Amino acid sequence: MRKWSVAALGVAVAVAGCTPLSPGLGPTLTTSSPSAAATSASPTSPAPSPITEPELPQRFPVDGALIDHAELVVEELHAVASGLPVLKLDITADQATLTALRPDGSVASYRWSADEITRVDSDIQYLEQATFDPADFPLQSTARMFDIADLRGVRGELVLQIVEYREGQVLMTITSRPESTTVFFRADGTAVAELGYTGVADLTAGLGEVLGDATEAYAVGFSPSRGYWADLPGEEQGVVVSRSRMGGLPVFETRRSETPPIGTFDPQEIEPATLAKVIAQFQPDPAQPCDVVIDRSTQRSGAVMRVECDGEVHYADLEGRDMTSLIAD
């Protein structure tokens, strides 16, 4: 039985005050919920107001390039904003801009440029986005992350950005102006890798990230169009936890109210080496990935792989034995 080691596989870890959702599901990329953010920004909150306008601009010189001192500069920007919850942070080669959420729900933006901190206008509106603390991110590694983004093909003016990406999920990325491509980074500063769908190493990493230590699953699968994914039982009855890892994006988790009509199985029994052999057996072209789904929908005693390659559907058990002739699609 395989135990997917979350730490060893470099699973996308939680950022900006994230917490695990349930035992056995591994870390999850969630942040303070919109309702929590709204509470922190309510008019009755004891949070202090930002520094007053007459005290700006403020000198804050650094010895060298901004990306080599990003952590110190952002720390000072956040201090100028009186430590308020942050909605967005942008860092380029020569300026850093921090937008904070005031207690009344308005926003205030501050920028460091040419050794000076000033107040700047912002087109950001507070629409119950998730907030974060910049100290939770590895800004001391900004220069190294810029180098990684350059190696990954990000072209133009590089911008490190921390902002809500979707549905309360705050992520750190490096993109460019004009936008070329985007590299996502985990909370330890490592880049999220693009994974393939046929090799043992990629299968191990992708399945490990969506499964974690889960010992029950309704269905597990992967394909180029959907990425790696798993439907797992939630802690509450009638709730399905869906985890997906698409392309170069970190793991994303959603929940839905549903009671699947199929039974669960232990996904730790899935062996990536066996999967790779089954895929290779059914592939008409080694360069063409297949769509794989593993579940108990065939009503067999155990989970079965459904492998669709170039329109042809094949079946195999978790030990890799061909069951196509025994199962009607």
Side-chain angles (χ1 to χ4, degrees):
M1 180 179 294
R2 171 172 296 276
K3 287 293 181 184
W4 303 100
S5 171
V6 174
L9 294 174
V11 172
V13 295
V15 295
C18 305
T19 55
L21 290 179
S22 59
L25 296 186
T28 179
L29 283 163
T30 55
T31 64
S32 55
S33 65
S35 60
T39 301
S40 66
S42 65
T44 59
S45 170
S49 297
I51 193 168
T52 56
E53 201 67 54
E55 298 179 53
L56 294 174
Q58 174 179 304
R59 288 280 295 167
F60 189 76
V62 296
D63 184 18
L66 167 60
I67 60 174
D68 293 324
H69 303 278
E71 183 180 27
L72 294 176
V73 169
V74 173
E75 183 180 352
E76 186 65 18
L77 282 171
H78 202 201
V80 168
S82 298
L84 289 171
V86 177
L87 287 168
K88 187 179 182 185
L89 176 65
D90 286 352
I91 300 174
T92 68
D94 53 18
Q95 66 181 32
T97 305
L98 179 147
T99 299
L101 178 64
R102 287 171 157 172
D104 64 359
S106 64
V107 303
S109 292
Y110 303 90
R111 177 171 294 158
W112 180 97
S113 180
D115 292 336
E116 189 173 83
I117 294 174
T118 58
R119 173 78 181 272
V120 294
D121 293 332
S122 174
D123 58 1
I124 297 175
Q125 292 183 318
Y126 176 57
L127 301 173
E128 297 193 344
Q129 305 96 311
T131 59
F132 61 91
D133 183 344
D136 291 336
F137 294 84
L139 299 178
Q140 70 279 6
S141 300
T142 298
R144 181 180 59 80
M145 290 189 286
F146 269 52
D147 288 342
I148 292 172
D150 180 70
L151 291 172
R152 290 280 190 94
V154 182
R155 296 293 179 261
E157 181 188 20
L158 270 59
V159 185
L160 185 151
Q161 187 173 96
I162 304 173
V163 69
E164 179 186 71
Y165 182 68
R166 57 183 177 185
E167 300 180 22
Q169 184 183 21
V170 174
L171 296 178
M172 177 171 58
T173 67
I174 291 183
T175 185
S176 62
R177 298 171 181 158
E179 185 171 349
S180 56
T181 188
T182 300
V183 178
F184 289 80
F185 289 85
R186 300 186 177 93
D188 61 357
T190 58
V192 178
E194 292 270 1
L195 297 177
Y197 301 95
T198 55
V200 176
D202 285 339
L203 293 173
T204 301
L207 292 173
E209 292 192 28
V210 297
L211 290 173
D213 295 327
T215 56
E216 281 189 289
Y218 291 114
V220 177
F222 52 91
S223 68
S225 61
R226 192 174 174 184
Y228 289 87
W229 58 273
D231 285 347
L232 312 171
E235 288 185 326
E236 301 173 6
Q237 181 111 19
V239 173
V240 175
V241 177
S242 293
R243 308 190 79 223
S244 62
R245 165 71 156 84
M246 182 69 188
L249 278 67
V251 172
F252 183 65
E253 183 172 291
T254 59
R255 293 168 180 266
R256 66 180 186 271
S257 296
E258 181 184 348
T259 302
I262 57 177
T264 61
F265 68 98
D266 185 355
Q268 303 298 333
E269 295 179 352
I270 300 172
E271 290 288 346
T274 302
L275 274 178
K277 289 179 181 178
V278 170
I279 293 170
Q281 176 184 351
F282 297 139
Q283 276 178 306
D285 179 354
Q288 182 178 6
C290 302
D291 186 334
V292 177
V293 177
I294 305 168
D295 62 18
R296 295 185 60 193
S297 61
T298 59
Q299 306 301 317
R300 311 292 293 189
S301 59
V304 172
M305 308 180 208
R306 181 184 186 276
V307 184
E308 182 175 352
C309 301
D310 196 25
E312 293 260 347
V313 176
H314 304 268
Y315 294 91
D317 64 15
L318 293 187
E319 295 181 8
R321 292 173 295 205
D322 189 348
M323 301 179 69
T324 306
S325 62
L326 303 177
I327 300 173
D329 191 17

